[in-house]
Amino acid sequence: MKITEVRTIVTCPGRNYVVVKIMTDEGIYGVGEGTLNGSELAVAQAIDHASHLLLGRDPQRIEEIWQLLYHWSYWRSGPVYMAALAAIDIALWDIKGKIAGLPVYQLLGGRAREGVLCYGHANGRTIAELIESVQRFQSQGYKVIRVQMGPYGGPGILRHEPPLTPGTPPTAIFDPTPYLIETPRMFEQLRARLGMAVELCHDVHEQLTPQQAAWLAKRLEDYRLFFLEDPVRPEFKEGLRLVREASTTPLAMGELFTSRAECLPLFQNQWIDFIRITPIHVGGLTEARKICVLAEPYQVRTAFHGAADIGPIGQAAALHLQVIVPNFGVQEWTDFTQNALICEVFPTPAEFRDGYAQPPERPGIGVDINEEAARRYPYQRAFMPLVRLTDGSVHVY
Ligand code: MG
């Protein structure tokens, strides 16, 4: 079997997704995803460039192709290249599953659990709204729920300033003090109303210094979080040491990591309890599985990133791995099955029921792309949010 064509598709059924479709001389094709929020066109270019190295190769030699592409780039790693490599890697697993007539999780060793426990995002401008939102998720079957108050950035976001030019994002003005004061109060009220049993997590979004994060983690101890996510900035992982030593609040990190090299010190130092990678940002299933193996002896469990910036193909790839790993924790969940635009472009997203998601049972990854529908929703320029402090300086968090 030989690779004959590599097609890159960028589509926007509500938000941008990057997909690769790898064709073979035997008619079987594979699809993979490499969406990188805000950098979609850069990933598409990287896939196009790498595609010249793929033509004529046997798509069944997944590990060899992964090593070739990783080392051929010379620069190794980096978010754009690892997302491109992920898209290709996942498409190759899709092909292998289709050849075998088996879903990818069967190729990885088979189920270790009946379903993949998921968490959803509850939000509210006030505590009453947030409690209502949590109860809505509970009524949908969720057993783990992320709780955030106010806009992205929480009560620390004082206001938004309009964009400088049309088509660019507004600027959020952030002050850590109200965020630090209000977050323990939020948990105090949630626990008073909801009790201690429901599993709650919270995302700091890397907005604090290590000292501020340690202060917060210590004050949240009594509210028994499932985890506190991204308490410090990802470039200086050593900041976790202070947070770890200050409290027993479980910590989660790794949403911005792109390789095992970034994850390993967090495991070895036992600074985290949950690793937040997702296959489409770390070079695909091949590398994500290795990261899970490295985490296991340190009792670090998986909590894969799965917000709406991960599309249905990336989501399904994550489920195939999450259902087989022994050190599974939880999966962040976006329900695409009720989104008509998404279902038109990506037949058929993975199913969720009573708190658990299932990897598709179809051969391969089990989610396809309808290229004709994808063309009807072309790429739309999009940016990540900008954040400044109250004195106007860029928030270097
Ligand atoms: Mg996050």
Side-chain angles (χ1 to χ4, degrees):
M1 185 179 273
K2 283 188 167 52
I3 294 172
T4 53
E5 189 189 347
V6 179
R7 258 180 235 163
T8 313
I9 303 153
V10 184
T11 181
C12 187
R15 60 185 306 152
N16 293 310
Y17 296 110
V18 181
V19 173
V20 71
K21 189 166 178 178
I22 297 182
M23 321 299 283
T24 69
D25 59 350
E26 294 184 23
I28 290 178
Y29 66 87
V31 295
E33 181 180 342
T35 306
L36 190 63
N37 199 357
S39 301
E40 296 87 356
L41 297 184
V43 176
Q45 281 287 323
I47 297 171
D48 282 344
H49 187 66
S51 70
H52 298 284
L53 302 170
L54 290 173
L55 298 178
R57 290 187 187 278
D58 180 355
Q60 297 175 90
R61 298 174 71 155
I62 298 177
E63 180 70 37
E64 185 193 47
I65 290 177
W66 196 98
Q67 297 295 338
L68 283 173
L69 291 181
Y70 182 76
H71 293 283
W72 253 337
S73 77
Y74 182 70
W75 304 105
R76 303 175 194 205
S77 197
V80 170
Y81 195 74
M82 292 307 272
L85 180 47
I88 292 164
D89 179 80
I90 292 165
L92 299 180
W93 280 103
D94 192 31
I95 290 171
K96 196 178 277 295
K98 286 170 177 168
I99 293 168
L102 291 170
V104 166
Y105 78 82
Q106 293 288 15
L107 305 180
L108 296 172
R111 279 179 188 270
R113 58 193 48 80
E114 303 310 319
V116 176
L117 179 73
C118 292
Y119 74 88
H121 292 186
N123 292 292
R125 283 167 302 176
T126 62
I127 191 73
E129 275 186 15
L130 179 58
I131 288 168
E132 205 177 294
S133 178
V134 170
Q135 288 169 337
R136 208 165 34 246
F137 277 96
Q138 286 180 302
S139 71
Q140 291 165 18
Y142 284 90
K143 281 55 177 171
V144 187
I145 300 162
R146 192 187 85 167
V147 289
Q148 309 286 138
M149 234 165 72
Y152 184 90
I157 302 294
L158 305 182
R159 62 182 185 279
H160 284 90
E161 291 184 347
L164 190 61
T165 53
T168 58
T171 299
I173 306 299
F174 179 76
D175 182 351
T177 305
Y179 175 75
L180 287 168
I181 294 169
E182 292 304 322
T183 304
R185 275 191 201 156
M186 173 184 83
F187 273 98
E188 185 185 8
Q189 293 175 81
L190 286 170
R191 285 305 186 196
R193 279 291 301 277
L194 302 166
M196 287 298 282
V198 57
E199 300 292 357
L200 301 176
C201 46
H202 177 73
D203 192 349
V204 178
H205 295 304
E206 311 105 10
Q207 293 183 120
L208 300 175
T209 65
Q211 182 276 331
Q212 290 166 338
W215 188 93
L216 179 65
K218 197 171 167 178
R219 268 143 197 88
L220 294 180
E221 261 183 354
D222 288 346
Y223 307 118
R224 201 189 70 81
L225 270 63
F226 191 79
F227 60 65
L228 185 68
E229 177 181 341
D230 285 343
V232 296
R233 58 197 289 194
E235 310 94 306
F236 299 105
K237 300 164 185 65
E238 295 77 7
L240 281 168
R241 187 192 303 277
L242 192 64
V243 187
R244 193 58 155 179
E245 285 172 359
S247 97
T248 56
T249 293
L251 303 176
M253 200 156 174
E255 183 175 319
L256 277 72
F257 294 173
T258 60
S259 74
R260 79 193 89 150
E262 286 172 287
C263 300
L264 197 54
L266 277 63
F267 302 157
Q268 289 172 311
N269 289 297
Q270 295 184 282
W271 285 336
I272 58 168
D273 302 278
F274 294 90
I275 183 69
R276 292 269 307 145
I277 56 152
T278 191
I280 74 164
H281 293 160
V282 298
L285 286 167
T286 299
E287 177 77 354
R289 186 178 194 185
K290 290 173 185 172
I291 292 172
C292 295
V293 170
L294 289 173
E296 198 220 332
Y298 299 100
Q299 291 182 281
V300 175
R301 293 188 284 157
T302 60
F304 286 0
H305 174 66
D309 62 327
I310 311 297
I313 295 172
Q315 182 187 65
L319 293 177
H320 285 291
L321 184 54
Q322 289 275 55
V323 85
I324 72 109
V325 290
N327 49 327
F328 168 76
V330 73
Q331 169 70 44
E332 186 178 20
W333 191 248
T334 305
D335 191 356
F336 291 120
T337 60
Q338 307 305 314
N339 184 324
L341 280 188
I342 293 276
C343 292
E344 186 188 347
V345 175
F346 298 102
T348 352
E351 297 283 339
F352 167 89
R353 196 160 51 86
D354 198 29
Y356 295 86
Q358 294 294 342
E361 286 296 340
R362 294 174 285 279
I365 293 294
V367 178
D368 208 343
I369 183 160
N370 177 337
E371 290 182 82
E372 204 187 300
R375 274 192 291 275
R376 285 199 290 276
Y377 307 106
Y379 169 79
Q380 305 283 316
R381 189 182 298 139
F383 295 89
M384 295 298 282
L386 300 173
V387 184
R388 289 182 189 271
L389 296 173
T390 49
D391 69 353
S393 57
V394 172
H395 183 18
V396 186
Y397 48 81

mmCIF file of all heavy atoms in Angstrom, residues 231-267:
data_model
loop_
_atom_site.group_PDB
_atom_site.id
_atom_site.type_symbol
_atom_site.label_atom_id
_atom_site.label_comp_id
_atom_site.label_asym_id
_atom_site.label_seq_id
_atom_site.Cartn_x
_atom_site.Cartn_y
_atom_site.Cartn_z
ATOM 1 N N PRO A 231 -2.287 26.355 36.994
ATOM 2 C CA PRO A 231 -2.120 27.418 37.989
ATOM 3 C C PRO A 231 -1.000 28.391 37.633
ATOM 4 O O PRO A 231 -1.027 29.539 38.078
ATOM 5 C CB PRO A 231 -1.796 26.659 39.280
ATOM 6 C CG PRO A 231 -1.291 25.317 38.844
ATOM 7 C CD PRO A 231 -1.949 25.020 37.533
ATOM 8 N N VAL A 232 -0.002 27.936 36.860
ATOM 9 C CA VAL A 232 1.134 28.815 36.528
ATOM 10 C C VAL A 232 1.402 28.784 35.026
ATOM 11 O O VAL A 232 0.861 27.952 34.302
ATOM 12 C CB VAL A 232 2.419 28.403 37.296
ATOM 13 C CG1 VAL A 232 2.226 28.582 38.789
ATOM 14 C CG2 VAL A 232 2.826 26.964 36.982
ATOM 15 N N ARG A 233 2.284 29.677 34.583
ATOM 16 C CA ARG A 233 2.590 29.741 33.153
ATOM 17 C C ARG A 233 3.372 28.504 32.702
ATOM 18 O O ARG A 233 4.199 27.977 33.454
ATOM 19 C CB ARG A 233 3.332 31.047 32.830
ATOM 20 C CG ARG A 233 4.607 31.230 33.606
ATOM 21 C CD ARG A 233 5.094 32.654 33.595
ATOM 22 N NE ARG A 233 5.607 33.063 32.307
ATOM 23 C CZ ARG A 233 6.330 34.171 32.094
ATOM 24 N NH1 ARG A 233 6.602 34.978 33.113
ATOM 25 N NH2 ARG A 233 6.768 34.489 30.915
ATOM 26 N N PRO A 234 3.118 28.067 31.472
ATOM 27 C CA PRO A 234 3.699 26.785 31.034
ATOM 28 C C PRO A 234 5.193 26.839 30.732
ATOM 29 O O PRO A 234 5.852 25.802 30.769
ATOM 30 C CB PRO A 234 2.913 26.464 29.764
ATOM 31 C CG PRO A 234 2.404 27.771 29.264
ATOM 32 C CD PRO A 234 2.210 28.634 30.474
ATOM 33 N N GLU A 235 5.756 28.018 30.446
ATOM 34 C CA GLU A 235 7.180 28.052 30.072
ATOM 35 C C GLU A 235 8.088 27.798 31.268
ATOM 36 O O GLU A 235 9.202 27.325 31.111
ATOM 37 C CB GLU A 235 7.594 29.408 29.483
ATOM 38 C CG GLU A 235 6.733 29.954 28.390
ATOM 39 C CD GLU A 235 5.667 30.885 28.921
ATOM 40 O OE1 GLU A 235 4.911 30.459 29.816
ATOM 41 O OE2 GLU A 235 5.590 32.021 28.463
ATOM 42 N N PHE A 236 7.624 28.178 32.479
ATOM 43 C CA PHE A 236 8.461 28.024 33.668
ATOM 44 C C PHE A 236 7.775 27.059 34.633
ATOM 45 O O PHE A 236 7.135 27.461 35.590
ATOM 46 C CB PHE A 236 8.740 29.389 34.300
ATOM 47 C CG PHE A 236 9.463 30.305 33.368
ATOM 48 C CD1 PHE A 236 8.810 31.353 32.738
ATOM 49 C CD2 PHE A 236 10.803 30.092 33.065
ATOM 50 C CE1 PHE A 236 9.471 32.178 31.838
ATOM 51 C CE2 PHE A 236 11.467 30.906 32.163
ATOM 52 C CZ PHE A 236 10.808 31.945 31.545
ATOM 53 N N LYS A 237 7.963 25.774 34.301
ATOM 54 C CA LYS A 237 7.244 24.723 35.023
ATOM 55 C C LYS A 237 7.670 24.636 36.485
ATOM 56 O O LYS A 237 6.916 24.160 37.329
ATOM 57 C CB LYS A 237 7.505 23.385 34.323
ATOM 58 C CG LYS A 237 7.025 23.394 32.890
ATOM 59 C CD LYS A 237 7.619 22.252 32.092
ATOM 60 C CE LYS A 237 7.230 22.321 30.638
ATOM 61 N NZ LYS A 237 7.775 23.516 29.943
ATOM 62 N N GLU A 238 8.875 25.128 36.786
ATOM 63 C CA GLU A 238 9.387 25.048 38.154
ATOM 64 C C GLU A 238 8.493 25.813 39.124
ATOM 65 O O GLU A 238 8.528 25.584 40.332
ATOM 66 C CB GLU A 238 10.820 25.599 38.236
ATOM 67 C CG GLU A 238 11.855 24.787 37.466
ATOM 68 C CD GLU A 238 11.803 25.022 35.953
ATOM 69 O OE1 GLU A 238 11.048 25.912 35.505
ATOM 70 O OE2 GLU A 238 12.506 24.296 35.231
ATOM 71 N N GLY A 239 7.690 26.727 38.587
ATOM 72 C CA GLY A 239 6.740 27.462 39.427
ATOM 73 C C GLY A 239 5.768 26.538 40.137
ATOM 74 O O GLY A 239 5.195 26.886 41.170
ATOM 75 N N LEU A 240 5.585 25.335 39.600
ATOM 76 C CA LEU A 240 4.663 24.378 40.219
ATOM 77 C C LEU A 240 5.142 23.908 41.586
ATOM 78 O O LEU A 240 4.346 23.514 42.420
ATOM 79 C CB LEU A 240 4.495 23.159 39.304
ATOM 80 C CG LEU A 240 3.553 23.327 38.117
ATOM 81 C CD1 LEU A 240 3.722 22.170 37.145
ATOM 82 C CD2 LEU A 240 2.091 23.404 38.573
ATOM 83 N N ARG A 241 6.472 23.958 41.793
ATOM 84 C CA ARG A 241 7.027 23.445 43.047
ATOM 85 C C ARG A 241 6.413 24.169 44.257
ATOM 86 O O ARG A 241 5.983 23.544 45.232
ATOM 87 C CB ARG A 241 8.555 23.611 43.056
ATOM 88 C CG ARG A 241 9.237 22.954 44.253
ATOM 89 C CD ARG A 241 10.690 23.379 44.369
ATOM 90 N NE ARG A 241 11.467 23.101 43.174
ATOM 91 C CZ ARG A 241 12.023 21.920 42.897
ATOM 92 N NH1 ARG A 241 11.889 20.925 43.743
ATOM 93 N NH2 ARG A 241 12.710 21.743 41.795
ATOM 94 N N LEU A 242 6.340 25.492 44.152
ATOM 95 C CA LEU A 242 5.806 26.292 45.251
ATOM 96 C C LEU A 242 4.332 25.956 45.503
ATOM 97 O O LEU A 242 3.892 25.822 46.646
ATOM 98 C CB LEU A 242 5.946 27.779 44.902
ATOM 99 C CG LEU A 242 5.716 28.780 46.025
ATOM 100 C CD1 LEU A 242 6.753 28.616 47.118
ATOM 101 C CD2 LEU A 242 5.756 30.204 45.481
ATOM 102 N N VAL A 243 3.568 25.790 44.407
ATOM 103 C CA VAL A 243 2.136 25.485 44.519
ATOM 104 C C VAL A 243 1.963 24.109 45.171
ATOM 105 O O VAL A 243 1.141 23.920 46.070
ATOM 106 C CB VAL A 243 1.456 25.503 43.132
ATOM 107 C CG1 VAL A 243 -0.051 25.356 43.273
ATOM 108 C CG2 VAL A 243 1.795 26.780 42.368
ATOM 109 N N ARG A 244 2.770 23.171 44.731
ATOM 110 C CA ARG A 244 2.700 21.799 45.234
ATOM 111 C C ARG A 244 3.001 21.747 46.716
ATOM 112 O O ARG A 244 2.313 21.072 47.489
ATOM 113 C CB ARG A 244 3.721 20.954 44.461
ATOM 114 C CG ARG A 244 3.567 19.485 44.644
ATOM 115 C CD ARG A 244 2.197 19.074 44.236
ATOM 116 N NE ARG A 244 2.138 17.692 43.833
ATOM 117 C CZ ARG A 244 1.022 17.108 43.452
ATOM 118 N NH1 ARG A 244 -0.118 17.791 43.434
ATOM 119 N NH2 ARG A 244 1.017 15.862 43.088
ATOM 120 N N GLU A 245 4.066 22.457 47.113
ATOM 121 C CA GLU A 245 4.492 22.387 48.510
ATOM 122 C C GLU A 245 3.505 23.109 49.429
ATOM 123 O O GLU A 245 3.413 22.812 50.618
ATOM 124 C CB GLU A 245 5.915 22.945 48.660
ATOM 125 C CG GLU A 245 6.940 21.941 48.117
ATOM 126 C CD GLU A 245 8.356 22.478 48.048
ATOM 127 O OE1 GLU A 245 8.570 23.652 48.411
ATOM 128 O OE2 GLU A 245 9.248 21.716 47.607
ATOM 129 N N ALA A 246 2.736 24.044 48.858
ATOM 130 C CA ALA A 246 1.815 24.833 49.690
ATOM 131 C C ALA A 246 0.512 24.118 49.993
ATOM 132 O O ALA A 246 -0.169 24.459 50.959
ATOM 133 C CB ALA A 246 1.515 26.166 48.999
ATOM 134 N N SER A 247 0.121 23.135 49.146
ATOM 135 C CA SER A 247 -1.229 22.591 49.329
ATOM 136 C C SER A 247 -1.374 21.174 48.807
ATOM 137 O O SER A 247 -0.530 20.687 48.044
ATOM 138 C CB SER A 247 -2.244 23.493 48.627
ATOM 139 O OG SER A 247 -2.558 22.997 47.357
ATOM 140 N N THR A 248 -2.481 20.534 49.210
ATOM 141 C CA THR A 248 -2.811 19.198 48.706
ATOM 142 C C THR A 248 -3.888 19.262 47.628
ATOM 143 O O THR A 248 -4.398 18.220 47.205
ATOM 144 C CB THR A 248 -3.321 18.293 49.846
ATOM 145 O OG1 THR A 248 -4.439 18.935 50.472
ATOM 146 C CG2 THR A 248 -2.245 18.022 50.869
ATOM 147 N N THR A 249 -4.261 20.455 47.161
ATOM 148 C CA THR A 249 -5.233 20.558 46.060
ATOM 149 C C THR A 249 -4.637 19.878 44.818
ATOM 150 O O THR A 249 -3.527 20.233 44.406
ATOM 151 C CB THR A 249 -5.554 22.041 45.760
ATOM 152 O OG1 THR A 249 -6.244 22.584 46.885
ATOM 153 C CG2 THR A 249 -6.421 22.194 44.520
ATOM 154 N N PRO A 250 -5.343 18.916 44.221
ATOM 155 C CA PRO A 250 -4.799 18.244 43.031
ATOM 156 C C PRO A 250 -4.567 19.233 41.888
ATOM 157 O O PRO A 250 -5.381 20.142 41.667
ATOM 158 C CB PRO A 250 -5.893 17.227 42.660
ATOM 159 C CG PRO A 250 -6.707 17.049 43.898
ATOM 160 C CD PRO A 250 -6.664 18.360 44.614
ATOM 161 N N LEU A 251 -3.446 19.068 41.187
ATOM 162 C CA LEU A 251 -3.067 20.010 40.125
ATOM 163 C C LEU A 251 -3.083 19.332 38.760
ATOM 164 O O LEU A 251 -2.684 18.164 38.631
ATOM 165 C CB LEU A 251 -1.667 20.572 40.401
ATOM 166 C CG LEU A 251 -1.492 21.281 41.749
ATOM 167 C CD1 LEU A 251 -0.041 21.707 41.945
ATOM 168 C CD2 LEU A 251 -2.423 22.487 41.874
ATOM 169 N N ALA A 252 -3.516 20.084 37.747
ATOM 170 C CA ALA A 252 -3.549 19.590 36.365
ATOM 171 C C ALA A 252 -2.832 20.593 35.478
ATOM 172 O O ALA A 252 -2.994 21.801 35.640
ATOM 173 C CB ALA A 252 -4.995 19.423 35.896
ATOM 174 N N MET A 253 -2.041 20.095 34.541
ATOM 175 C CA MET A 253 -1.344 20.982 33.615
ATOM 176 C C MET A 253 -0.979 20.224 32.341
ATOM 177 O O MET A 253 -0.998 18.996 32.320
ATOM 178 C CB MET A 253 -0.086 21.548 34.277
ATOM 179 C CG MET A 253 0.399 22.790 33.596
ATOM 180 S SD MET A 253 1.386 23.846 34.634
ATOM 181 C CE MET A 253 1.880 25.040 33.408
ATOM 182 N N GLY A 254 -0.660 20.971 31.271
ATOM 183 C CA GLY A 254 -0.142 20.344 30.059
ATOM 184 C C GLY A 254 -0.926 20.652 28.805
ATOM 185 O O GLY A 254 -0.583 20.164 27.728
ATOM 186 N N GLU A 255 -1.969 21.479 28.924
ATOM 187 C CA GLU A 255 -2.782 21.833 27.755
ATOM 188 C C GLU A 255 -1.943 22.482 26.640
ATOM 189 O O GLU A 255 -2.256 22.339 25.459
ATOM 190 C CB GLU A 255 -3.870 22.798 28.235
ATOM 191 C CG GLU A 255 -4.858 23.225 27.212
ATOM 192 C CD GLU A 255 -5.958 24.098 27.859
ATOM 193 O OE1 GLU A 255 -6.403 23.777 28.979
ATOM 194 O OE2 GLU A 255 -6.335 25.089 27.234
ATOM 195 N N LEU A 256 -0.868 23.186 27.034
ATOM 196 C CA LEU A 256 -0.034 23.865 26.039
ATOM 197 C C LEU A 256 1.232 23.082 25.695
ATOM 198 O O LEU A 256 2.068 23.566 24.946
ATOM 199 C CB LEU A 256 0.345 25.274 26.527
ATOM 200 C CG LEU A 256 -0.709 26.358 26.290
ATOM 201 C CD1 LEU A 256 -1.895 26.204 27.202
ATOM 202 C CD2 LEU A 256 -0.116 27.734 26.433
ATOM 203 N N PHE A 257 1.377 21.880 26.249
ATOM 204 C CA PHE A 257 2.587 21.101 25.972
ATOM 205 C C PHE A 257 2.466 20.408 24.612
ATOM 206 O O PHE A 257 1.369 20.073 24.168
ATOM 207 C CB PHE A 257 2.814 20.038 27.049
ATOM 208 C CG PHE A 257 3.119 20.587 28.410
ATOM 209 C CD1 PHE A 257 3.198 19.737 29.502
ATOM 210 C CD2 PHE A 257 3.333 21.935 28.620
ATOM 211 C CE1 PHE A 257 3.476 20.229 30.772
ATOM 212 C CE2 PHE A 257 3.610 22.444 29.884
ATOM 213 C CZ PHE A 257 3.680 21.576 30.958
ATOM 214 N N THR A 258 3.628 20.175 23.973
ATOM 215 C CA THR A 258 3.603 19.571 22.646
ATOM 216 C C THR A 258 4.435 18.289 22.546
ATOM 217 O O THR A 258 4.488 17.691 21.483
ATOM 218 C CB THR A 258 4.112 20.563 21.581
ATOM 219 O OG1 THR A 258 5.448 20.927 21.902
ATOM 220 C CG2 THR A 258 3.243 21.801 21.521
ATOM 221 N N SER A 259 5.097 17.891 23.646
ATOM 222 C CA SER A 259 5.937 16.683 23.546
ATOM 223 C C SER A 259 6.175 16.085 24.925
ATOM 224 O O SER A 259 5.949 16.714 25.947
ATOM 225 C CB SER A 259 7.283 17.015 22.915
ATOM 226 O OG SER A 259 8.086 17.708 23.851
ATOM 227 N N ARG A 260 6.714 14.864 24.911
ATOM 228 C CA ARG A 260 6.998 14.180 26.176
ATOM 229 C C ARG A 260 8.094 14.899 26.964
ATOM 230 O O ARG A 260 8.135 14.821 28.186
ATOM 231 C CB ARG A 260 7.367 12.724 25.905
ATOM 232 C CG ARG A 260 8.770 12.500 25.432
ATOM 233 C CD ARG A 260 8.945 11.108 24.891
ATOM 234 N NE ARG A 260 8.620 11.083 23.472
ATOM 235 C CZ ARG A 260 9.183 10.251 22.599
ATOM 236 N NH1 ARG A 260 10.022 9.353 23.002
ATOM 237 N NH2 ARG A 260 8.881 10.306 21.325
ATOM 238 N N ALA A 261 8.986 15.621 26.253
ATOM 239 C CA ALA A 261 10.080 16.307 26.950
ATOM 240 C C ALA A 261 9.541 17.348 27.929
ATOM 241 O O ALA A 261 10.116 17.579 28.987
ATOM 242 C CB ALA A 261 11.006 16.961 25.925
ATOM 243 N N GLU A 262 8.428 17.987 27.553
ATOM 244 C CA GLU A 262 7.838 18.996 28.452
ATOM 245 C C GLU A 262 7.113 18.352 29.628
ATOM 246 O O GLU A 262 7.022 18.929 30.698
ATOM 247 C CB GLU A 262 6.856 19.864 27.662
ATOM 248 C CG GLU A 262 7.549 20.846 26.745
ATOM 249 C CD GLU A 262 6.544 21.540 25.849
ATOM 250 O OE1 GLU A 262 6.037 20.889 24.914
ATOM 251 O OE2 GLU A 262 6.257 22.716 26.081
ATOM 252 N N CYS A 263 6.561 17.171 29.391
ATOM 253 C CA CYS A 263 5.761 16.508 30.436
ATOM 254 C C CYS A 263 6.633 15.846 31.503
ATOM 255 O O CYS A 263 6.279 15.828 32.685
ATOM 256 C CB CYS A 263 4.882 15.426 29.810
ATOM 257 S SG CYS A 263 3.718 16.045 28.583
ATOM 258 N N LEU A 264 7.770 15.294 31.064
ATOM 259 C CA LEU A 264 8.557 14.411 31.936
ATOM 260 C C LEU A 264 8.971 15.043 33.273
ATOM 261 O O LEU A 264 8.798 14.412 34.320
ATOM 262 C CB LEU A 264 9.772 13.878 31.161
ATOM 263 C CG LEU A 264 10.468 12.664 31.755
ATOM 264 C CD1 LEU A 264 9.505 11.509 31.999
ATOM 265 C CD2 LEU A 264 11.620 12.215 30.851
ATOM 266 N N PRO A 265 9.487 16.297 33.305
ATOM 267 C CA PRO A 265 9.870 16.857 34.614
ATOM 268 C C PRO A 265 8.699 16.978 35.587
ATOM 269 O O PRO A 265 8.877 16.844 36.794
ATOM 270 C CB PRO A 265 10.425 18.249 34.274
ATOM 271 C CG PRO A 265 10.534 18.328 32.804
ATOM 272 C CD PRO A 265 9.774 17.208 32.196
ATOM 273 N N LEU A 266 7.502 17.202 35.062
ATOM 274 C CA LEU A 266 6.327 17.305 35.936
ATOM 275 C C LEU A 266 5.989 15.959 36.563
ATOM 276 O O LEU A 266 5.528 15.890 37.695
ATOM 277 C CB LEU A 266 5.114 17.841 35.156
ATOM 278 C CG LEU A 266 5.043 19.353 35.002
ATOM 279 C CD1 LEU A 266 6.201 19.911 34.197
ATOM 280 C CD2 LEU A 266 3.727 19.769 34.382
ATOM 281 N N PHE A 267 6.242 14.889 35.792
ATOM 282 C CA PHE A 267 6.008 13.543 36.336
ATOM 283 C C PHE A 267 7.093 13.206 37.366
ATOM 284 O O PHE A 267 6.793 12.791 38.473
ATOM 285 C CB PHE A 267 6.037 12.483 35.223
ATOM 286 C CG PHE A 267 5.037 12.698 34.111
ATOM 287 C CD1 PHE A 267 5.244 12.137 32.854
ATOM 288 C CD2 PHE A 267 3.886 13.452 34.317
ATOM 289 C CE1 PHE A 267 4.327 12.315 31.825
ATOM 290 C CE2 PHE A 267 2.966 13.630 33.295
ATOM 291 C CZ PHE A 267 3.192 13.067 32.046
#
